Amino acid sequence: MTDPLTEPDALRAAAETMRQVRERCVWSQRITHRDLVPYLIEEAHELIDAVERDDRDEMREELGDLLWQVLFHAAITAQSPSDAFDIDDVARGLTEKMVRRHPHVFSDAVATTPDEVLVHWNAAKAAEKRERRSVLDGVPAGMPALARAQKLLGRAASVIGSAVAPPAHWVPEPVEGPASEAEMGDALLALVAQAREQGWDAERALRERLRLLESDVRAAESGS
């Protein structure tokens, strides 16, 4: 049996470790993709916390924990009786996608500014996602409401700008107050405190408001 600790390729050693754990650990053998979701979310948030604190030791460890989640999902699918794929297939697909989306690096396209890079990226992504019918397609429904709001507003910007007569409630008018990201944090915390005092669910309130925004955007896209 291969000893992962003697494998000179660190990534290959990690994949081999996961393979053996999946095959020989009775706990790991029964784990499904759905079972892993809470751990995936937890590890991602622990990495975010380490990044925001600029704790390099924690970042290294949490990146490893997040990589373990990727390896775990790939190890599960490698045992699938149908449509199986392994970590090599995942890595190969990622490499091909990144090469396609960076034609200014791997081909003869030119990009001298970040905005020009985004033009190439978005063009490649649009070609890959031809089945999508709305700018909102692909935004995960399970994202936290605040992060999802920022994502949806970014996607909807082109539709909002091109709408002849967008609904008055499409996007609320800007409020006076925050002049910096730190002040925005204070303002958001104050809103959450107000919601708590009123017995409101701030997360639910934003989710419901986003459903209205989504409905308006899709209606504008369809011309209705």
Side-chain angles (χ1 to χ4, degrees):
M1 181 175 296
T2 303
D3 181 359
L5 295 178
T6 63
E7 167 61 59
D9 185 328
L11 286 174
R12 177 55 54 195
E16 175 60 20
T17 302
M18 181 67 254
R19 185 188 67 78
Q20 292 191 34
V21 168
R22 175 66 177 178
E23 292 180 356
R24 301 172 61 195
C25 171
V26 293
W27 183 85
S28 298
Q29 288 170 354
R30 66 176 180 81
I31 294 297
T32 68
H33 291 296
R34 286 181 178 273
D35 293 332
L36 283 177
V37 168
Y39 301 102
L40 179 61
I41 294 171
E42 180 180 348
E43 298 298 355
H45 282 292
E46 288 179 356
L47 174 58
I48 291 168
D49 182 58
V51 169
E52 292 180 344
R53 289 187 290 104
D54 195 24
D55 187 325
R56 297 307 174 91
D57 289 337
E58 283 293 317
M59 283 173 61
R60 182 171 61 247
E61 180 178 351
E62 298 305 337
L63 281 167
D65 290 345
L66 197 57
L67 175 60
W68 185 255
Q69 294 297 306
V70 174
L71 294 171
F72 209 149
H73 280 283
I76 293 172
T77 58
Q79 296 177 333
S80 175
S82 62
D83 196 23
F85 62 83
D86 61 16
I87 192 61
D88 288 322
D89 297 312
V90 173
R92 191 175 299 110
L94 172 63
T95 299
E96 292 171 353
K97 179 165 69 175
M98 290 302 104
V99 169
R100 284 195 307 274
R101 293 189 183 184
H102 293 82
H104 55 291
V105 176
F106 299 102
S107 188
D108 56 0
V110 176
T112 58
T113 67
D115 286 342
E116 290 175 350
V117 171
L118 287 177
V119 169
H120 292 308
W121 177 279
N122 290 330
K125 187 173 182 179
E128 296 164 7
K129 309 293 184 180
R130 290 191 181 93
E131 74 282 358
R132 291 184 177 175
R133 295 293 177 265
S134 169
V135 296
L136 303 185
D137 289 348
V139 179
M143 287 179 71
L146 194 57
R148 192 162 188 267
Q150 193 151 342
K151 189 78 170 178
L152 288 175
L153 286 172
R155 292 284 189 91
S158 59
V159 180
I160 293 173
S162 63
V164 176
H169 60 265
W170 191 310
V171 179
E173 289 296 319
V175 295
E176 294 293 333
S180 67
E181 193 169 277
E183 290 183 10
M184 175 64 73
D186 290 339
L188 290 171
L189 186 59
L191 285 173
V192 173
Q194 181 181 354
R196 181 175 178 277
E197 290 173 1
Q198 297 292 335
W200 301 334
D201 185 323
E203 182 86 1
R204 182 176 62 225
L206 184 54
R207 282 200 309 271
E208 292 178 351
R209 182 61 182 78
L210 290 178
R211 290 191 186 97
L212 184 60
L213 172 63
E214 287 183 87
S215 177
D216 288 340
V217 170
R218 293 182 188 277
E221 287 177 319
S222 65
S224 59

